[in-house]
């Protein structure tokens, strides 16, 4: 197996270099002195940025782009074996690795390689941890799944022993990682187009936990059902956090300010500390996220005042309860929530945000998820006063013809909630302009392109 060594630069080729994660790691290797090349289908701001760094970017994937001077090739999961560059690299016998394998290879170069996992909240918790490490002046290298203002993007290249990244369970990609420390925020039924059931997902997180070395640490949510199937007989140190069940790190006297941002007293090993933690993001779910990163930060001996400073400075990432602006006195929020648990957490948090009426425009993400969790989606969405549904965002899936947003509207009506469905974004905008009044709160929600509805309303 080929091993990337940052201390020994060579020539790397990225098939699909314009992707949000691929581009970040291409930049990281280039900064380390590697000669980096790659290809993408189209020119973008990302590829133009890479070119400005001296990285060679080809547009269109052609066999002649792959030359014998390349030392290894990285490709995304979207690249198929019949891709001409993939075929050319194979025929030349070049070492090849999928993106997740490459991330794992990079992690081996850091003494402290932290993987933040969980069905929900990875981007937020990774961003919170980033703020704390930056406040502590630990010069971390960061890879985060969203745009974070503190690092001006999704990648930060540090020059220390600290590396922090999200660790996603989908297709078991995080099992290719090499963490020395890990966080498991939660375990929920999701990605059922890949996993068989919740037990299968739980087994995947167990396998992730087993990657941690004997002298490593796992920070895990004690509220996870059947947590012992993940933590039982692990050789690494285990630190728990939670909002409900007994844990090493807990919160008491939880309060929310006028904007819905939380604060709480930290309880450590059952003992109130008198330490008040204040957050600049809303919702109970973010108190749980904060507990996880506090636990890990203290494991690394970061002073509490620095932890508090970092958490207070974190004001969210792009598409996580992001305030976009307003139209005719209506506040527009955008949120990436695309699973019932995430939707419920966001809508509960929104209840504490100043508003007259709450409107939620939801775009379901993937047919398989919508079908598998149809009733759960309806229950979560019923927390909003007014629900508008778009067509399902297909993402990676073909339309099976047996599930649509109309089915979700019917489920909502069974719960006594009148949901409106529109197949056209323009019709949704016209409806909202007519129905929303000054002081209302509008949330566009989903992992697809629903964000454009709110953005275009603001521009009117």
């Amino acid at each position: 197996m080929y091993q990337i060594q940052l201390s020994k630069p060579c020539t790397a080729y990225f098939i699909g270099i314009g992707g949000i994660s691929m581009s970040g790691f291409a930049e990281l290797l280039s900064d380390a002195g590697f000669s980096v090349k790659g290809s993408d289908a189209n020119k973008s701001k990302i590829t133009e940025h890479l070119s400005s760094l001296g990285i060679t970017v080809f547009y269109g994937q052609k066999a002649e782009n792959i030359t014998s001077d390349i030392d290894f090739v990285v490709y995304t999961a979207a690249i198929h074996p019949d891709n001409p560059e993939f075929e050319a690299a194979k025929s030349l016998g070049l070492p090849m690795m999928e993106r997740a394998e490459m991330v794992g290879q990079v992690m081996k170069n850091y003494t402290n390689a932290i993987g933040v996992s969980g069905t929900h909240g990875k981007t937020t918790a990774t961003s919170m941890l980033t703020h704390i490490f930056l406040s502590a002046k630990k010069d971390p290298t960061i890879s985060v799944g969203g745009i974070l203002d503190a690092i001006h993007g999704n990648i930060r290249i540090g020059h220390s022993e600290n590396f922090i990244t999200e660790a996603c369970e989908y297709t078991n990609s995080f099992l290719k990682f090499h963490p020395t420390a890990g966080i498991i925020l939660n375990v929920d039924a999701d990605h059922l187009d890949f996993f068989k059931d919740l037990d299968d997902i739980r087994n995947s997180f167990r396998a992730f936990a087993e990657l941690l070395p004997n002298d490593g640490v796992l920070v895990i949510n004690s509220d996870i059902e059947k947590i012992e199937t993940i933590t039982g007989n692990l050789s690494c140190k285990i630190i728990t956090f939670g909002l409900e069940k007994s844990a090493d790190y807990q919160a008491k006297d939880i309060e929310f300010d006028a904007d819905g941002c939380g604060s709480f007293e930290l309880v450590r090993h059952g003992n109130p500390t008198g330490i008040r933690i204040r957050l600049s993001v809303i919702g109970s779910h973010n108190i749980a996220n904060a507990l996880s990163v506090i636990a890990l930060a203290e494991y690394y001996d970061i002073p509490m005042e620095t932890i508090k400073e970092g958490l207070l400075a974190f004001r969210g990432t792009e598409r996580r309860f992001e305030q976009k602006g307003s139209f005719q006195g209506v506040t527009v929020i955008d949120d990436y929530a695309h699973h019932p648990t995430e939707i419920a957490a966001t809508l509960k948090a929104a209840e504490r945000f100043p508003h007259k009426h709450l409107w939620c425009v939801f775009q379901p993400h993937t047919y398989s998820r919508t079908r598998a969790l149809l009733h759960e989606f309806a229950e979560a969405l019923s927390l909003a006063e007014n629900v508008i549904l778009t067509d399902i965002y297909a993402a990676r899936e073909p339309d099976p013809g047996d599930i649509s947003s109309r089915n979700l509207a019917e489920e909502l009506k069974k719960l006594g909630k009148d949901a409106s469905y529109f197949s056209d974004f323009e019709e949704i905008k016209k409806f909202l302009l007519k129905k929303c009044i000054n002081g209302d709160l509008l949330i566009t929600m989903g992992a697809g392109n629903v964000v454009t509805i709110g953005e275009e309303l603001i521009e009117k």
Side-chain angles (χ1 to χ4, degrees):
M1 175 64 72
Y2 187 86
Q3 172 59 51
I4 297 171
Q5 297 183 59
L6 297 183
S7 60
K8 297 180 179 179
C10 56
T11 301
Y13 193 93
F14 286 66
I15 306 177
I17 199 168
I20 193 74
S21 176
M22 291 278 277
S23 62
F25 280 91
E27 186 173 339
L28 187 153
L29 293 184
S30 176
D31 182 79
F34 285 65
S35 173
V36 180
K37 308 175 186 179
S39 63
D40 214 87
N42 301 295
K43 183 178 289 189
S44 66
K45 288 182 180 179
I46 290 176
T47 59
E48 289 178 342
H49 171 67
L50 293 176
S51 296
S52 74
L53 299 175
I55 294 171
T56 301
V57 180
F58 299 103
Y59 295 103
Q61 290 163 351
K62 304 171 185 175
E64 55 262 35
N65 294 339
I66 306 299
T67 52
S68 59
D69 63 323
I70 295 168
D71 292 292
F72 67 92
V73 174
V74 183
Y75 59 94
T76 69
I79 299 299
H80 299 292
D82 61 354
N83 177 283
E85 292 184 345
F86 190 100
E87 287 183 331
K90 278 282 188 185
S91 66
L92 287 173
L94 301 178
M96 301 179 70
M97 63 186 77
E98 197 265 329
R99 185 201 65 86
E101 175 66 31
M102 179 265 300
V103 176
Q105 293 270 341
V106 169
M107 291 177 83
K108 286 184 177 180
N109 292 268
Y110 295 86
T111 304
N112 300 322
I114 302 166
V116 180
S117 74
T119 317
H120 325 290
K122 292 182 290 293
T123 297
T124 297
T126 302
S127 300
M128 285 179 169
L129 200 59
T130 294
H131 272 269
I132 292 171
F133 270 63
L134 290 175
S135 292
K137 296 180 170 50
K138 287 189 171 289
D139 190 22
T141 295
I142 308 290
S143 173
V144 63
I147 302 302
L148 182 61
D149 287 344
I151 61 173
H152 310 293
N154 72 309
I155 193 83
R156 180 189 190 273
I157 300 169
H159 299 91
S160 72
E161 72 277 12
N162 302 302
F163 179 88
I164 305 172
T165 186
E166 290 185 37
C168 182
E169 76 278 8
Y170 185 55
T171 67
N172 283 327
S173 62
F174 65 175
L175 300 188
K176 298 182 175 73
F177 288 9
H178 296 278
T180 61
I183 293 176
I184 299 179
L185 296 165
N186 38 60
V187 176
D188 214 340
D190 197 11
H191 300 306
L192 295 175
D193 57 327
F194 176 76
F195 294 109
K196 290 182 291 186
D197 51 29
L198 184 53
D199 282 337
D200 192 23
I201 297 169
R202 203 175 279 114
N203 290 338
S204 182
F205 279 97
R206 166 68 189 198
F208 173 71
E210 288 177 342
L211 296 175
L212 296 164
N214 293 347
D215 60 351
V217 62
L218 173 66
V219 176
I220 185 168
N221 191 339
S222 63
D223 298 332
I224 292 172
E225 185 182 354
K226 299 181 182 177
I227 185 176
E228 67 281 353
T229 62
I230 299 173
T231 59
N233 299 316
L234 286 179
S235 59
C236 66
K237 181 180 178 64
I238 298 170
I239 304 172
T240 59
F241 71 95
L243 295 178
E244 297 174 12
K245 298 177 183 175
S246 177
D248 298 321
Y249 284 77
Q250 295 174 286
K252 64 173 284 192
D253 297 332
I254 295 173
E255 297 176 354
F256 296 92
D257 66 17
D259 293 323
C261 298
S263 66
F264 59 92
E265 181 182 350
L266 179 65
V267 177
R268 196 189 291 115
H269 304 295
N271 301 310
T273 61
I275 298 167
R276 192 89 190 156
I277 305 293
R278 299 188 182 279
L279 306 178
S280 299
V281 287
I282 76 167
S284 298
H285 59 296
N286 277 323
I287 291 175
N289 290 333
L291 287 171
S292 74
V293 301
I294 291 168
L296 189 60
E298 288 211 316
Y299 173 80
Y300 284 114
D301 296 322
I302 297 176
M304 181 51 67
E305 284 305 310
T306 303
I307 294 171
K308 290 171 65 177
E309 175 186 316
L311 286 173
L312 188 61
F314 172 64
R315 297 184 176 277
T317 59
E318 187 177 272
R319 303 219 62 203
R320 271 70 175 180
F321 211 86
E322 180 188 3
Q323 293 192 46
K324 304 291 289 187
S326 64
F327 69 96
Q328 59 191 39
V330 178
T331 300
V332 178
I333 302 285
D334 182 63
D335 198 276
Y336 191 70
H338 55 283
H339 183 280
T341 301
E342 298 166 350
I343 293 166
T346 298
L347 293 178
K348 286 176 182 176
E351 291 173 359
R352 300 188 180 93
F353 192 89
H355 67 276
K356 288 181 180 175
H357 305 289
L358 175 59
W359 297 80
C360 178
V361 180
F362 178 63
Q363 182 181 47
H365 190 259
T366 74
Y367 300 103
S368 59
R369 182 185 284 118
T370 307
R371 185 195 301 108
L373 302 172
L374 187 67
H375 182 69
E376 290 85 352
F377 273 118
E379 286 192 324
L381 288 166
S382 68
L383 294 171
E385 290 176 68
N386 307 281
V387 179
I388 297 100
L389 300 171
T390 77
D391 280 328
I392 295 171
Y393 190 82
R396 54 189 173 266
E397 297 179 341
D399 186 350
D402 62 351
I403 186 71
S404 76
S405 292
R406 290 187 179 89
N407 300 111
L408 182 51
E410 289 168 6
E411 283 295 310
L412 278 159
K413 287 175 183 176
K414 290 177 186 177
L415 297 174
K417 181 68 62 173
D418 186 23
S420 302
Y421 159 74
F422 297 93
S423 61
D424 182 73
F425 278 14
E426 287 301 318
E427 290 301 312
I428 292 175
K429 285 184 284 184
K430 289 177 184 177
F431 181 80
L432 292 169
L433 283 168
K434 181 179 178 182
K435 295 289 187 178
C436 292
I437 63 172
N438 183 24
D440 282 359
L441 176 62
L442 168 65
I443 302 179
T444 56
M445 185 180 288
N449 61 343
V450 67
V451 59
T452 62
I453 292 174
E455 290 175 339
E456 290 168 13
L457 282 169
I458 292 166
E459 292 172 1
K460 285 186 179 294

